[in-house]
Amino acid sequence: MTAFRILFLITFSVALLFAPIGQSNYIIYILCSWLIFSISAMGLNLTLGYAGQISLAQAAFMGIGAYVTALLTMAGMHWLVAVFCSISATFLIGLALGYPALRVQHHFLAFVTLAFNALVFLVLRNEEWLTGGSLGLVGIPRPVFGPFDTMKQLPFYYFTVVCFLVTAGAMAWMLHSPWGRAFKALRENPIRANSLGLNTTRMTLLAFAIGSSMAGLAGALQAPLVQFIEPGSFTLILSLKILLMVIVGGSGYFFGPILGAALVVLLPEMLRFTDGYYLIIYALLVLVVMIFSPQGLLGLGRKLLIAMKPRKERGDLKQGAQL
């Protein structure tokens, strides 16, 4: 890891610690939402950006994680036990869905996961005896760790920061492990990876299941943040929103989904001073990014960095590891 990256990580971590100081509860809520959606987007980035498979079920896995956590904590179980159950459930469901779904690659997989998202929404809405139906679940407790109570917004924000940093650290470790190199090989050339003895089906399935479990963790954080969940919060629109975060930020880049989540979650709030025009401006900005840089903002930054280097150094940069 270069000195620049270490300095960037330190600066980023310090910024997270001081970002909510002096802010209103609403701004702190928005910051929490950004971190939670960043976790979910990182999971989708593993599936899409590294394993090269399109999934439109990220919202469904967030919903499963949210409802499992809500039901268990409302029954008196501690959040740590509930989140373990949520992550385990979404990982196993990801395996169960991924095994048959990965027989139909790429856009066919997208249709399978889209159908699964619709199925989960219908189950959450119709099984009122368990999920509360369209009325949802109200009064979801926030976690308590001895003297540290997250009932207020600021303590919950720092709790979310810890979850985010632990998840990001685990993701960074995995991407620099042999698993990460296998995922990148799947994305670049599946046929060559298979010829070298890599079990492409098993590795793709593993990436899909891990990405699903990260969405389950995001849902387990979303439920106590809002303290109310209902099926309409986990529709296809949310899956498309998470997909937008990954693509706009930069698919296949570690910081891509984090940057994309900031753009999708924070930018509309920053543009509210334009009154009724902020959604139009936001949509135009997203269109401009997609037209001029299909690889996302980090992809655009990398192109500019390569263009500014002398010709003899460009080849080394192109072969370098992505951010």
Side-chain angles (χ1 to χ4, degrees), residues 76-279:
M77 193 172 292
H78 195 275
W79 184 86
L80 288 176
V81 180
V83 75
F84 175 79
C85 294
S86 298
I87 293 174
S88 301
T90 48
F91 182 86
L92 293 175
I93 294 172
L95 285 177
L97 174 66
Y99 185 75
L102 290 177
R103 296 177 180 272
V104 287
Q105 299 283 318
H106 305 300
H107 58 282
F108 293 107
L109 175 62
F111 284 115
V112 172
T113 53
L114 186 153
F116 176 73
N117 206 133
L119 174 64
V120 170
F121 169 75
L122 291 175
V123 170
L124 295 178
R125 188 186 66 179
N126 295 330
E127 299 301 319
E128 298 182 4
W129 62 275
L130 180 64
T131 65
S134 299
L135 298 177
L137 299 175
V138 185
I140 302 168
R142 288 186 173 181
V144 178
F145 303 93
F148 183 71
D149 188 349
T150 64
M151 191 60 196
K152 294 183 178 180
Q153 288 289 71
L154 191 58
F156 190 86
Y157 169 80
Y158 286 118
F159 166 68
T160 307
V161 168
V162 171
C163 294
F164 167 77
L165 292 177
V166 170
T167 304
M171 175 66 74
W173 170 83
M174 182 174 61
L175 292 177
H176 287 85
S177 70
W179 286 0
R181 291 189 288 272
F183 293 148
K184 293 175 185 177
L186 286 176
R187 177 191 62 191
E188 299 297 333
N189 196 323
I191 297 176
R192 181 185 299 174
N194 190 48
S195 67
L196 294 175
L198 181 66
N199 190 328
T200 56
T201 301
R202 184 176 65 184
M203 294 307 300
T204 306
L205 182 59
L206 182 62
F208 187 84
I210 294 175
S212 302
S213 66
M214 292 179 68
L217 171 60
L221 291 167
Q222 181 74 9
L225 170 65
V226 184
Q227 297 186 283
F228 165 76
I229 53 174
E230 52 93 19
S233 301
F234 307 103
T235 60
L236 176 63
I237 294 176
L238 180 59
S239 287
L240 295 175
K241 192 175 180 180
I242 298 171
L243 179 63
L244 178 65
M245 295 175 188
V246 175
I247 294 176
V248 169
S251 176
Y253 293 87
F254 179 80
F255 288 101
I258 302 172
L259 179 60
L263 183 70
V264 174
V265 176
L266 302 180
L267 186 59
E269 300 299 326
M270 297 170 62
L271 292 174
R272 285 191 181 275
F273 70 92
T274 61
D275 295 328
Y277 297 100
Y278 76 97
L279 289 178

Side-chain angles (χ1 to χ4, degrees), residues 285-298:
L285 290 174
V286 172
L287 286 174
V288 168
V289 171
M290 290 294 92
I291 291 172
F292 291 99
S293 181
Q295 293 182 331
L297 292 173
L298 289 184

